[in-house]
Amino acid sequence: MDLDLLFRALSDATRRRLIDELAERDGQTLFELHVRLITYYGASLSRQALSKHLQVLEEAGLLRTEWQWRSKHHFLDLTPLRHAWTLWLAGHAGERAPESRPSAAEPSAAQPAAPQPDAAPAAAPSPSPPQRRTPA
Amino acid sequence: MRIELASVMVDDLDKALRFYTEVLGFRPKVDMPLGASRWLTVVSQDAPDGTQLVLEPDAHPAAKPFKAALKRDGIPFTSFGVSDCKAEHERLVALGVRFTQPPVTMGPVTTAVFDDTCGNLLQIHQQH
């Protein structure tokens, strides 16, 4: 799990749209994704540029490809997003930070977020239980 | 000038003639010997004097890699007009046709993409 690769993959509107379109219908070919981007977003990108975007998403583990009858289909894999949530994002953006963290957590996120009586109000976790997603 | 002929490059003429007539429903128009091969065309059922589709052997060395590259990326090189894309999709699926893209409506058109068993992807499109 490489957070740098993941956030780099997410740092581009076209690539986020590709995730949206694959969430709408998984397993698309390059052709279908290209037509969708052009139709829905007025994108003017070439198929070659799209191919590179897909490669970046694949390197980040966000999609995998599968050959079906000699056509290449792209399937979404949101596991890295869930890992990023568990490893780092939830510690800052969750309603309440996870109570136990994997040992691979980044140092900046490794501070325990257990409620402390003297915690500053702005940093106080909400009383509701954390919405943790279990990595697939 | 009129568009009278369009071609698809197929890997086997007999197989192609069966698929394009028995499965897609086109009608044979011309079938005559030509050199080492044949001149083979089909037409739409409802336009027998309209544009002919030439079923052409993909014997040129560049043809097969070209076709394979298009197929890899899901690109149909030819598109046929239909009045009901979803109904046509259902009909073809029932006949065992493999689709790389089920009917999807994008703006003013619904399209679907399938395998012609002769090395090509074909599209059907319905204008709304």
Side-chain angles (χ1 to χ4, degrees), chain A residues 34-107:
Chain A
H34 192 232
V35 174
R36 282 173 180 255
L37 287 190
I38 291 170
T39 307
Y40 295 143
Y41 305 107
S44 59
L45 82 171
S46 66
R47 285 194 183 116
Q48 285 87 342
L50 175 55
S51 190
K52 281 179 189 159
H53 283 308
L54 290 170
Q55 210 175 323
V56 174
L57 289 171
E58 188 170 9
E59 281 163 9
L62 285 166
L63 61 82
R64 60 188 171 76
T65 58
E66 198 175 290
W67 288 84
Q68 296 174 356
W69 303 100
R70 299 193 177 176
S71 293
K72 196 174 172 183
H73 295 256
H74 302 80
F75 292 86
L76 211 50
D77 185 349
L78 297 178
T79 308
L81 283 185
R82 298 190 187 107
H83 282 165
W85 178 260
T86 309
L87 285 173
W88 193 73
L89 282 167
H92 297 289
E95 286 188 8
R96 178 177 167 182
E99 281 164 18
S100 65
R101 295 174 182 284
S103 55
E106 295 205 340

Side-chain angles (χ1 to χ4, degrees), chain B residues 53 74 79:
Chain B
L53 186 68
S79 188

